[in-house]
Amino acid sequence: MNFIKLLAIGVLLIVVSGCATNAMTGRKQLALVSEKTVIERSDSMYMSLVDSYDKKGKISKDPEVNERVRTITNRLVHRAIEFRPETVAWNWQVNVIEDETPNAFCMPGGKMGVNTGLLEKIQPTDDELAQVMGHEISHALANHGAEKMSNQMLGQIIVGTVAVAAAASEGNNGRYNQNTQRAVQDMAVIGTAAFITLPNSRTAETEADKMGVEIAAQAGYDPAAAISIWEKMMAVTNQESRGDFWSTHPSPPNRIDAFKALQEPMQQIYAQSKLTYTADYKPSYNFVKMGIDPLANSSNVRVVNADGTTSSFAMPKIDSKPRVFYSAEFALFKEGKLELTCINCGLTNFMNNSTINEYIQKEDWRRLMQTLIKVNHKSDLSYYHLGLAAEGMGHKQAARVYFEKARELFHGQKFSCATAKMNKCRDMNIAELVENKLNNSDYALSEK
């Protein structure tokens, strides 16, 4: 029994130590595998895949189709990078593959593929194809590839642990037999799928849906196409059931409902972006390469002009302050209307103190905001930290509101860290810190 307990504790420690907060979603992800490792593997897999199709003459040479796909993905990648600026260093690449399966993908690191089956069977408009590729690009942005591999590893660890525990238990009782152990292993596999693999996969798909429709809207593609593309998908696949418990993806009807709920905020984004992406829009830079060679068509570096001269095009500057994906909470946050309401979350806040302080030290204002929203602890210290996050992200008026709320709670004492039993102020004088902020004549922040 002690041996079994030790195994269980070991698995628990692996899960706890292997979790990290994802800046794209604010959700804690299992991260037993580094993103760098997954990208290296994906690059190798992609080149093997494309090389295999190319040898069969299955990489599209249709200039019109290729240019259409490249134009759409280039606009999407430009906007995707604004949410995660470090991905500008990824070697983004796309190929159109002559395969009748209606599918598209984006591997970790930005390696993309679009099957002709998707283009021919579904016949998506540009807006609809942008929804599909925005979704796939979002998987890469949110590091879902590393999370998927980590969940698979965890599943294998759990199944192995259960098998060892079962063998040890039966061995001690003198009743060990292979059939019983196989049954126990099968149950472990089913349990892992039902409560770890499948729910996490559906969560990742839902996140990619939400992120993808916003990336597409920022790139000038109509969010209403997220609904129409899934209506077309349902017509082709006949998947009309809402049941998705045993599925890796949310059901199409449920996805359509979710997209309908997002239309109002996404249409507001689209209304602004389409002023940029007019009919005569030309990209100033090609983020996405196309071809079987990783360096193929690198026209984003140098272009040969008709007269034989060459022109260089510098990469457009990417704002170091990343964009934040829409959520109802973030919309309230940047307007100064977010309220922290939990009065019994002292322990949760205490457990997150080191994480909060780490984000402040690193000036990782996006993750700080996400953590404070999730913890939802009502206190002067939490509102002060919320003010720091708003300040760092460029929301001046919101920051002032949160600093003023921190001052109010400090003087009220009930929600002050000065009188708290667990979440102490340490060496911080909240009243003094807040007054310094509010009275600073240089308190001038640019709205993003």
Side-chain angles (χ1 to χ4, degrees):
M1 182 61 71
N2 289 335
F3 174 67
I4 295 174
K5 287 182 178 179
L6 287 174
L7 284 175
I9 292 171
V11 172
L12 181 61
L13 288 174
I14 289 172
V15 173
V16 173
S17 63
C19 283
T21 300
N22 187 300
M24 298 295 98
T25 63
R27 177 173 62 87
K28 283 190 176 296
Q29 288 181 321
L30 188 63
L32 302 180
V33 183
S34 71
E35 184 177 48
K36 180 181 177 182
T37 297
V38 177
I39 289 176
E40 288 173 352
R41 293 183 184 180
S42 296
D43 283 351
S44 178
M45 288 173 58
Y46 184 79
M47 291 314 300
S48 296
L49 175 71
V50 172
D51 184 58
S52 174
Y53 275 107
D54 185 55
K55 288 178 179 177
K56 300 173 185 176
K58 295 295 185 180
I59 297 297
S60 173
K61 301 297 191 294
D62 186 322
E64 186 176 342
V65 171
N66 288 352
E67 186 57 31
R68 179 193 179 202
V69 169
R70 180 173 179 170
T71 296
I72 293 171
T73 54
N74 195 67
R75 276 167 58 170
L76 293 169
V77 167
H78 186 183
R79 295 308 170 198
I81 289 170
E82 293 177 342
F83 289 93
R84 193 176 166 195
E86 70 270 23
T87 62
V88 72
W90 284 2
N91 189 16
W92 295 91
Q93 187 175 354
V94 68
N95 279 284
V96 178
I97 300 168
E98 294 179 354
D99 186 311
E100 64 181 16
T101 307
N103 192 33
F105 63 86
C106 180
M107 292 180 173
K111 302 296 189 184
M112 296 173 280
V114 178
N115 286 1
T116 52
L118 175 67
L119 304 176
E120 294 166 0
K121 292 183 179 181
I122 306 299
Q123 296 190 355
T125 64
D126 286 359
D127 290 299
E128 291 170 342
L129 183 56
Q131 304 301 325
V132 174
M133 295 312 297
H135 172 96
E136 299 302 331
I137 288 169
S138 296
H139 278 308
L141 276 192
N143 199 20
H144 286 157
E147 181 183 29
K148 181 178 180 180
M149 190 176 293
S150 297
N151 283 323
Q152 290 171 342
M153 290 176 62
L154 176 62
Q156 292 169 355
I157 291 170
I158 290 174
V159 171
T161 300
V162 169
V164 171
S169 176
E170 291 188 340
N172 290 336
N173 293 326
R175 299 193 305 272
Y176 178 81
N177 68 75
Q178 286 186 322
N179 289 335
T180 301
Q181 186 177 9
R182 189 176 297 112
V184 171
Q185 285 181 287
D186 289 344
M187 289 300 295
V189 170
I190 293 172
T192 301
F195 299 106
I196 297 177
T197 308
L198 295 179
N200 274 279
S201 179
R202 288 194 297 273
T203 297
E205 291 298 322
T206 299
E207 289 173 348
D209 280 348
K210 292 179 179 179
M211 293 166 62
V213 70
E214 182 166 350
I215 289 171
Q218 293 283 3
Y221 293 107
D222 190 348
I227 298 171
S228 60
I229 186 64
W230 275 106
E231 289 173 342
K232 287 183 177 181
M233 292 282 196
M234 280 201 303
V236 170
T237 62
N238 294 318
Q239 294 180 350
E240 298 181 357
S241 171
R242 289 186 175 274
D244 55 15
F245 182 80
W246 288 108
S247 174
T248 57
H249 293 59
S251 68
N254 290 340
R255 292 178 115 155
I256 289 173
D257 288 347
F259 283 128
K260 286 180 178 178
L262 285 169
Q263 285 303 298
E264 183 177 349
M266 293 301 106
Q267 286 292 343
Q268 292 174 3
I269 293 172
Y270 173 56
Q272 291 297 315
S273 66
K274 68 181 181 180
L275 298 177
T276 298
Y277 294 101
T278 56
D280 58 351
Y281 169 81
K282 298 292 183 185
S284 60
Y285 189 85
N286 286 326
F287 293 90
V288 179
K289 304 175 183 67
M290 177 169 269
I292 61 171
D293 189 316
L295 300 178
N297 294 342
S298 297
S299 57
N300 54 328
V301 178
R302 187 172 293 275
V303 173
V304 179
N305 301 319
D307 60 3
T309 61
T310 60
S311 301
S312 296
F313 294 89
M315 181 183 297
K317 184 178 180 182
I318 303 297
D319 194 336
S320 59
K321 288 183 180 178
R323 288 184 181 271
V324 179
F325 283 103
Y326 169 83
S327 69
E329 294 82 3
F330 177 61
L332 292 172
F333 164 79
K334 65 182 183 179
E335 293 177 6
K337 297 179 180 179
L338 182 71
E339 294 185 7
L340 304 176
T341 58
C342 185
I343 61 176
N344 297 312
C345 297
L347 178 59
T348 303
N349 190 77
F350 180 78
M351 293 173 66
N352 281 275
N353 270 340
S354 61
T355 300
I356 290 170
N357 291 328
E358 177 188 349
Y359 292 153
I360 293 172
Q361 289 295 319
K362 292 181 177 180
E363 298 186 355
D364 191 342
W365 308 121
R366 179 166 56 178
R367 279 194 175 98
L368 176 62
M369 173 204 67
Q370 291 168 338
T371 302
L372 293 170
I373 289 175
K374 185 168 292 186
V375 173
N376 192 31
H377 183 233
K378 183 177 181 178
S379 74
D380 55 352
L381 184 57
S382 293
Y383 271 104
Y384 174 69
H385 288 158
L386 205 61
L388 291 181
E391 180 184 68
M393 295 170 72
H395 303 298
K396 176 182 178 180
Q397 296 305 318
R400 180 174 292 277
V401 170
Y402 299 133
F403 288 141
E404 289 175 345
K405 184 65 176 180
R407 179 173 58 187
E408 175 189 329
L409 293 180
F410 171 82
H411 291 299
Q413 294 193 340
K414 181 179 179 181
F415 298 106
S416 173
C417 59
T419 58
K421 295 180 180 179
M422 187 175 299
N423 294 284
K424 301 291 185 182
C425 301
R426 299 183 301 281
D427 57 348
M428 299 173 64
N429 185 321
I430 299 298
E432 183 178 326
L433 290 171
V434 167
E435 291 305 322
N436 287 341
K437 286 289 186 185
L438 295 177
N439 295 329
N440 190 343
S441 61
D442 295 328
Y443 189 68
L445 307 173
S446 61
E447 290 287 349
K448 184 174 179 68

